[in-house]
Amino acid sequence: MTALAGTAASFVPTPIQVLVVEDSTSLRRLYSHVLTRAGYSVLAADSGAAARELIAAQRPDIVLLDRVLPDGDGAEIGEWIKASPDLASTYVIMLSGIKTSEDERLGSLETSADDYLVKPVDRRELLARVQVGVRLKSTQRALEASERQFRTLAEHSPDVIMRLDPTGQPTYINPRVRQLFGLSPQEIIASTQSHLGMPDELAERWYAACREVTTTRQEKQLEFSYQYNGETKYVDVRLVPEINPDGRVPSLLAVLRDFTERIRAEQAIARLAAVVQQAVEAVLITDDGGRVQYVNPEFERMTGFTLADIVDRKLSEGDGGVALGDLGRQFLNVIARRQPWLGYTQLKRREGEPLEIEATIFPIRDSQRGITSFVALQRDLSERRRAEQEREIILTVASALRRASTRDEMAPVILDEIMALFNVDGAALTSVDHATGEVVVELARGLLAPLAGWRTPAALSPTVEILNSGQAFFSDGPEALAGPRRAGELRQVRALLGVPMVAHNRGIGVLWVASTGVITTQAITLLVAIADMSASALHRVALYSELEQYAAELERRVAERTRELEAANERLKELDRLKSKFVSNVTHELRTPVSNLKLYMSLLQRGNLERRAHYEAMLRDSVDRLGQLIEDILSLSRLEIARYQPSEFAPTDLNAIVRQVAAQYQPQAEAAGLRLLLELDTDLPLIAANFNQLSQLVTNLVVNGLHFTRQGYVRIRTLQPDTPDSAMLIVEDTGIGILPEDLPHVCERFYRGNHRQAEDIPGTGLGLAIVQEIVTIHRGALSIHSEVDVGTRVEVLLPVEHPDSSPLDLLT
């Protein structure tokens, strides 16, 4: 027994706890004694209730469970143990003191026990059965420890680790998946349609790869990218089949590695390489010993050396080396001192030509601060120097132009500065004289001075073509500017350049320079810039001159308008005076008939009955006079409105209107003992008129003639005067006439004159005012001639209607 116990002890590396559940005190002690001596930790219980408490509190590894207990069936306790997730791993050995059938034993093994013993139990068999449980428990512990170890590794792995079913759906995922997809393992596993948070097209690739690995039982590697939180993620996936002994693949192992940072680093390197490749500065890279490793295209352009020419060659002046002049020597000095350098130096090009440059030379160090290579950045200073010179020239010209304020002052400044700055032999300024259509040389200097003031037809000069095209013109002789006739005076000129001066789409002129030698490309470019600047300056002074002229014209027009407004104000004052007079006259004229109406109405009621007929006659006269006054006032108001509105004019027969009015008033003339005479021009043309207004005009003139004539006649005449575009209406009478002092006022409203006989003649004083308004609307003319006690003649001149005229033409 001791040896057996020692074997058990050596087999069990850690104490195994055994619970003995037996209601028999002797058997419980026996089993406890045997197991204790074998090295196990033993607990004991004599009932089902006590057993449940100990199992729940101590969680023993092995339980010896009596089938028959005083407070219940041991099988129920076994079923409780196996049904509990926390206790299911407990090894249960069922003990039975009665003979049981095979079905009962198998049933217990299926539901409540791991082993089954029938009492009495031999000590050796008891230990052997317990040792089986111990071995299983030890194996289980080892598996759990191994599982914990591998789970710890998986949980803390920097990669995403998954176990998948054969379809590709995850059954286990480590927490790293949240950094990759933004979802927890539980969220992905819980959703069978999660697709791991991937887009649909990516999920299709995933499941297709899983099916392929399951079918072929071969590992597979794939890469994919997707969008996460607004950025692109790159993932490497390795799928490994887990194969059973029977050759089936019940599951897959997937390892997902995020290599986004590597891709970003590669992209950054690629961008850096592109920047270096396309840099405007020349780049030279050597190893630690000065052997050329790389040069960019700008270095090749600047020096004439290609990478193929100098790669793996050392910077030196000796045979086989790359000679870069002062730059090479400065580079070797930096290599020797291991310190960076910045400054100006010279680079010797492949052809031996020196080039002034600005250079920066510095070492490249690795993460351990060791020097791996050296780099030189070089910038060509010749363009900068040239640009600085050009800027100085342009600033000089601009400064000189600012001191001039007119075109006559600017033109000499432009030519003199060009002669001084470009060292040319002649300069000139040409422009187009729009009055004559000729091209004129406004000003000329140097060899071109004899051409000052020279004029030539535009067709024979390229000036107009240069201004229209906006392109410079180059000639190898003076003929283009001087023409064949005067080209002989300029035999020394070998190069002639014309540059357009255009500002805001306005041709200012052409700037010419002449040289006895060569005009360089740099000079041409700079002259174009100066021409543009000069054109803007000349355009500015031209605009200023135009602005001054406009200001003067505006001032003149303002003064003229002021005078017009003053005159209009005077007219308004006069109109206001006339309005007041009109109101006063209307009031006065209305007062008389109204007063008469009141008087005779009162007399009609209280007066002498024998004079009733007289009273009624006077009432009728007052009513007629009041009605005529109102009618005339309304007519005058309508005419005033019509003066400011387009009238409906139509071709009108003046003779027909005269006949109609004469027929209407012939009885009145005969009743007054007067003759109403007509003398009408049968060839009178039609006039453009408003029929109703013209009828009123003739009526008013005829009525006036009849009223103011005591004896004799009233004659109406129509004729065509010497002007073919007019027709004339004349109404004359042998009446009382108009006093000379009244004649200028007879067309004023309510003016009846001071003639001694006029007071006995009925009227409103508005007849001639209405005539004047109608004549004004018809754009005609009215004249009145009169002699006291001899008679009056009124002449009305009206425009003739033309076949091609419209009614509105008469108002314009």
Side-chain angles (χ1 to χ4, degrees):
M1 183 64 67
T2 304
L4 185 59
T7 303
S10 63
F11 177 79
V12 181
T14 57
I16 296 296
Q17 192 174 58
V18 181
L19 171 63
V20 178
V21 183
E22 175 60 58
D23 61 336
S24 172
T25 303
S26 59
L27 290 177
R28 186 171 63 250
R29 290 177 179 175
L30 174 62
Y31 297 155
S32 299
H33 176 73
V34 171
L35 293 172
T36 300
R37 293 195 60 188
Y40 299 109
S41 174
V42 179
L43 300 172
D46 58 1
S47 64
R52 287 176 184 269
E53 290 180 4
L54 287 172
I55 293 171
Q58 301 295 329
R59 296 192 180 185
D61 298 302
I62 300 173
V63 176
L64 289 176
L65 181 60
D66 189 6
R67 175 69 182 270
V68 180
L69 295 171
D71 56 352
D73 190 351
E76 293 179 357
I77 298 176
E79 291 175 0
W80 168 69
I81 293 173
K82 294 303 181 184
S84 175
D86 296 334
L87 304 174
S89 62
T90 303
Y91 193 80
V92 179
I93 302 174
M94 189 69 70
L95 299 174
S96 177
I98 59 176
K99 191 175 177 95
T100 58
S101 66
E102 186 70 22
D103 289 340
E104 290 177 332
R105 288 196 302 271
L106 292 177
S108 297
L109 291 174
E110 290 174 353
T111 60
S112 57
D114 297 294
D115 201 355
Y116 200 96
L117 291 176
V118 179
K119 301 176 185 178
V121 180
D122 181 70
R123 295 180 181 180
R124 185 174 178 183
E125 183 179 4
L126 175 62
L127 289 176
R129 295 297 182 95
V130 171
Q131 286 177 350
V132 170
V134 169
R135 286 196 295 270
L136 289 175
K137 196 66 178 178
S138 298
T139 301
Q140 182 182 5
R141 287 183 174 180
L143 288 174
E144 290 176 352
S146 176
E147 182 181 358
R148 284 194 300 272
Q149 179 181 5
F150 285 109
R151 182 176 291 274
T152 301
L153 292 174
E155 295 291 314
H156 295 84
S157 172
D159 299 329
V160 176
I161 298 176
M162 297 182 179
R163 174 166 278 118
L164 314 168
D165 64 20
T167 66
Q169 193 66 28
T171 58
Y172 165 79
I173 310 175
N174 69 342
R176 183 68 178 176
V177 75
R178 186 181 291 276
Q179 281 71 37
L180 204 59
F181 297 116
L183 299 172
S184 69
Q186 295 76 15
E187 289 174 324
I188 295 178
I189 294 173
S191 176
T192 57
Q193 300 298 325
S194 66
H195 292 175
L196 306 181
M198 306 177 194
D200 290 344
E201 62 275 9
L202 198 57
E204 291 177 5
R205 286 184 59 200
W206 170 268
Y207 291 120
C210 291
R211 289 193 298 270
E212 180 183 343
V213 172
T214 302
T215 303
T216 63
R217 296 183 294 180
Q218 299 292 326
E219 292 185 10
K220 185 175 180 62
Q221 188 169 0
L222 67 152
E223 295 179 358
F224 61 84
S225 62
Y226 63 96
Q227 291 294 317
Y228 175 64
N229 284 344
E231 64 177 353
T232 303
K233 285 273 192 178
Y234 297 89
V235 178
D236 174 79
V237 181
R238 184 182 179 192
L239 293 172
V240 180
E242 295 183 329
I243 305 173
N244 276 349
D246 59 2
R248 291 185 304 105
V249 180
S251 59
L252 305 175
L253 183 64
V255 180
L256 289 74
R257 175 165 297 174
D258 182 359
F259 64 101
T260 303
E261 292 302 324
R262 189 189 77 195
I263 293 296
R264 289 177 181 169
E266 292 174 353
Q267 291 174 344
I269 293 172
R271 286 194 298 271
L272 181 59
V275 169
V276 173
Q277 188 75 3
Q278 301 173 35
V280 296
E281 293 184 331
V283 179
L284 166 66
I285 303 176
T286 72
D287 62 13
D288 190 24
R291 194 176 298 275
V292 177
Q293 295 178 325
Y294 170 81
V295 296
N296 70 341
E298 179 60 19
F299 182 91
E300 295 178 342
R301 186 201 65 78
M302 183 184 295
T303 65
F305 291 106
T306 66
L307 179 61
D309 293 335
I310 60 176
V311 67
D312 290 331
R313 292 171 56 188
K314 293 192 65 173
L315 299 179
S316 68
E317 299 290 339
D319 294 339
V322 181
L324 297 178
D326 292 344
L327 174 65
R329 287 187 287 273
Q330 191 64 53
F331 201 106
L332 295 175
N333 187 33
V334 170
I335 292 176
R337 294 188 297 107
R338 324 296 272 186
Q339 295 295 325
W341 176 85
L342 169 66
Y344 299 98
T345 186
Q346 279 194 341
L347 166 70
K348 186 170 72 173
R349 293 169 51 84
R350 183 171 188 170
E351 297 81 5
E353 175 189 356
L355 184 67
E356 187 176 1
I357 64 170
E358 179 183 9
T360 302
I361 307 172
F362 54 91
I364 299 294
R365 302 179 183 273
D366 57 20
S367 57
Q368 285 74 38
R369 304 297 298 166
I371 295 177
T372 59
S373 55
F374 286 86
V375 178
L377 306 179
Q378 307 118 68
R379 184 183 294 273
D380 187 354
L381 295 180
S382 57
E383 290 295 330
R384 181 192 297 178
R385 298 284 190 238
R386 183 161 54 248
E388 291 173 353
Q389 292 173 356
E390 293 176 356
R391 185 168 60 253
E392 290 176 1
I393 292 174
I394 291 175
L395 290 175
T396 301
V397 175
S399 176
L401 287 175
R402 280 196 295 270
R403 293 193 295 270
S405 58
T406 66
R407 184 182 181 105
D408 292 338
E409 293 176 353
M410 286 185 175
V413 170
I414 296 170
L415 299 187
D416 291 343
E417 292 295 337
I418 288 175
M419 291 282 291
L421 296 172
F422 289 92
N423 196 29
V424 292
D425 301 297
L429 175 63
T430 63
S431 60
V432 179
D433 186 343
H434 296 286
T436 64
E438 296 177 313
V439 172
V440 59
V441 180
E442 287 189 39
L443 192 65
R445 291 285 192 269
L447 289 179
L448 301 181
L451 297 180
W454 172 255
R455 290 176 173 268
T456 184
L460 302 179
S461 172
T463 293
V464 176
E465 181 181 350
I466 294 172
L467 291 175
N468 290 337
S469 66
Q471 302 295 321
F473 175 84
F474 188 81
S475 174
D476 55 0
E479 289 81 4
L481 179 62
R485 289 177 52 192
R486 304 195 61 176
E489 303 176 23
L490 308 173
R491 291 187 301 271
Q492 295 173 289
V493 175
R494 293 290 178 265
L496 185 69
L497 174 66
V499 180
M501 302 171 67
V502 179
H504 302 281
N505 297 322
R506 182 176 179 180
I508 307 299
V510 175
L511 185 62
W512 297 88
V513 294
S515 175
T516 57
V518 176
I519 300 176
T520 65
T521 302
Q522 179 187 359
I524 295 174
T525 302
L526 190 52
L527 279 169
V528 169
I530 292 177
D532 290 342
M533 180 179 63
S534 302
S536 297
L538 292 174
H539 179 66
R540 186 180 67 251
V541 299
L543 289 179
Y544 181 74
S545 177
E546 293 174 1
L547 183 62
E548 286 184 325
Q549 295 176 5
Y550 176 76
E553 174 64 16
L554 184 61
E555 185 176 354
R556 183 191 66 77
R557 292 174 63 183
V558 167
E560 181 180 340
R561 183 59 176 165
T562 301
R563 289 193 297 271
E564 292 176 355
L565 291 174
E566 290 174 350
N569 186 46
E570 292 300 323
R571 288 196 296 273
L572 289 174
K573 290 180 180 178
E574 178 64 17
L575 288 175
D576 186 63
R577 185 188 67 78
L578 291 176
K579 180 193 73 173
S580 300
K581 183 179 179 181
F582 175 76
V583 171
S584 175
N585 290 339
V586 167
T587 304
H588 173 75
E589 293 298 328
L590 287 174
R591 185 179 296 115
T592 300
V594 170
S595 298
N596 288 338
L597 286 172
K598 291 180 179 179
L599 173 63
Y600 287 106
M601 284 293 294
S602 177
L603 290 174
L604 190 63
Q605 294 173 353
R606 297 188 300 272
N608 190 346
L609 293 177
E610 295 177 357
R611 295 181 60 83
R612 185 180 183 86
H614 174 69
Y615 298 155
E616 290 176 351
M618 295 304 296
L619 281 173
R620 284 193 296 271
D621 290 342
S622 297
V623 170
D624 291 341
R625 185 175 182 183
L626 183 60
Q628 184 63 45
L629 178 61
I630 293 173
E631 182 62 32
D632 286 347
I633 291 173
L634 292 176
S635 297
L636 192 60
S637 298
R638 285 193 293 267
L639 290 172
E640 286 181 338
I641 295 173
R643 183 193 298 182
Y644 301 102
Q645 295 179 346
S647 299
E648 296 181 357
F649 288 171
T652 304
D653 185 354
L654 179 60
N655 287 339
I657 293 176
V658 171
R659 291 190 189 98
Q660 179 180 347
V661 173
Q664 180 180 353
Y665 286 94
Q666 185 67 41
Q668 181 179 339
E670 292 176 353
L674 301 175
R675 290 173 293 164
L676 186 57
L677 307 176
L678 298 181
E679 295 181 8
L680 305 181
D681 185 351
T682 57
D683 296 328
L684 189 71
L686 299 178
I687 62 174
N690 182 295
F691 183 88
N692 293 331
Q693 292 177 6
L694 203 59
S695 296
Q696 187 173 9
L697 180 146
V698 176
T699 298
N700 285 11
L701 292 178
V702 171
V703 169
N704 268 8
L706 293 174
H707 282 173
F708 289 94
T709 302
R710 301 299 186 189
Q711 59 182 359
Y713 62 85
V714 175
R715 180 165 52 194
I716 309 172
R717 299 168 57 196
T718 61
L719 57 91
Q720 187 170 12
D722 295 336
T723 55
D725 293 337
S726 301
M728 181 173 284
L729 170 70
I730 301 175
V731 178
E732 55 186 351
D733 61 58
T734 57
I736 64 176
I738 304 172
L739 295 176
E741 62 269 24
D742 292 335
L743 194 58
H745 305 288
V746 292
C747 290
E748 296 178 4
R749 301 169 186 182
F750 300 107
Y751 190 85
R752 293 178 53 81
N754 299 308
H755 198 287
R756 64 186 182 280
Q757 299 182 25
E759 295 179 357
D760 300 330
I761 300 172
T764 62
L766 293 175
L768 288 179
I770 292 174
V771 169
Q772 180 66 68
E773 286 292 334
I774 295 173
V775 171
T776 300
I777 291 173
H778 285 73
R779 300 177 67 94
L782 173 68
S783 62
I784 302 175
H785 309 276
S786 183
E787 187 175 347
V788 177
D789 296 332
V790 174
T792 302
R793 186 177 76 256
V794 180
E795 298 177 353
V796 178
L797 194 65
L798 298 171
V800 171
E801 191 272 340
H802 291 283
D804 58 347
S805 66
S806 66
L808 291 180
D809 292 336
L810 300 172
L811 298 177
T812 59

